[in-house]
Amino acid sequence: MSTARVLLVDDRSENLLALEAILQGLPVNTIAVTSGEEALKRLLSEDYAAILLDAQMPGMDGFETARHIKQREKTRHTPIIFLTAADRDAHLAMRGYSVGAVDYITKPFDPWMLRTKVKVFIDLWSQGQALRQTSERTKDLREREGHLTRRLDQARDALAAWREGREADPEIDRILALLETSSA
């Protein structure tokens, strides 16, 4: 199973370094980018357990970036946690939630709280990966079962056709009876 990735999006490199330090030691690869445009490009080619997104960036801000993320089928369900240095403005928080954020955290924040929240999304992503693998394995096994059942039916039909017109053979009759009950 692959390692979960978390996308870190902030126009300030010192904030990205701080986020990487906070998440260090978790079972995650962090990918840091400095703009919404870069984030959207990364999201085209890779899946992420979560996105930590600065709300206020020059150019494409976090809200617009989140809107684009939520419009794409592939990324629609990727959890976004907004991080912002802005004061606790209820309007900005509501704006964040309205574009699909699962959380909106103002700085300064408790690094252990953020780490714990991200860990939950890493765990959910890992469980989803395991479930997808189990589903694929189940599908493969069902296909193999169908193939084997068809081959068994062909063998039974061939044996029954061969048996016709021959004198009684208790062993062949026993095998045919077993094949009949196994396909029922």
Side-chain angles (χ1 to χ4, degrees):
M1 187 161 66
S2 61
T3 302
R5 286 183 292 274
V6 172
L7 184 60
L8 312 175
V9 187
D10 198 305
D11 60 308
R12 299 182 62 183
S13 59
E14 61 272 16
N15 290 344
L16 292 171
L17 286 172
L19 290 172
E20 287 174 335
I22 290 168
L23 300 179
Q24 189 172 14
L26 290 178
V28 67
N29 290 329
T30 57
I31 310 299
V33 297
T34 57
S35 70
E37 292 86 355
E38 286 181 80
L40 293 175
K41 286 178 187 173
R42 287 293 188 140
L43 288 163
L44 288 173
S45 60
E46 298 173 326
D47 292 324
Y48 292 88
I51 302 168
L52 303 183
L53 181 58
D54 182 16
Q56 298 174 319
M57 295 183 293
M60 183 185 295
D61 68 10
F63 301 109
E64 185 179 350
T65 303
R67 201 170 7 267
H68 286 290
I69 291 168
K70 293 302 180 179
Q71 287 174 351
R72 293 179 179 170
E73 184 63 35
K74 180 181 177 189
T75 57
R76 177 171 291 139
H77 301 292
T78 305
I80 298 172
I81 298 175
F82 271 111
L83 303 172
T84 184
D87 290 331
R88 296 183 188 274
D89 182 345
H91 172 71
L92 286 177
M94 287 309 299
R95 187 173 171 205
Y97 291 122
S98 73
V99 294
V102 296
D103 208 347
Y104 189 93
I105 302 172
T106 56
K107 299 173 190 173
F109 54 82
D110 179 350
W112 291 104
M113 177 203 54
L114 179 62
R115 183 180 170 87
T116 301
K117 289 181 182 203
V118 170
K119 176 77 168 81
V120 168
F121 291 118
I122 293 169
D123 291 345
L124 288 171
W125 183 88
S126 296
Q127 290 170 3
Q129 289 292 104
L131 185 60
R132 280 185 283 283
Q133 287 177 348
T134 300
S135 176
E136 288 173 17
R137 180 75 177 132
T138 301
K139 180 183 171 195
D140 289 345
L141 289 172
R142 284 193 175 132
E143 287 174 4
R144 288 183 71 198
E145 178 188 31
H147 176 73
L148 291 172
T149 300
R150 286 188 296 278
R151 290 194 59 197
L152 184 61
D153 288 344
Q154 290 170 350
R156 183 194 64 235
D157 293 345
L159 186 58
W162 178 84
R163 173 71 181 88
E164 275 185 33
R166 299 192 185 275
E167 60 183 72
D169 183 336
E171 189 60 23
I172 297 292
D173 292 340
R174 187 182 69 75
I175 292 171
L176 282 171
L178 284 172
L179 290 173
E180 283 298 321
T181 59
S182 69
S183 65

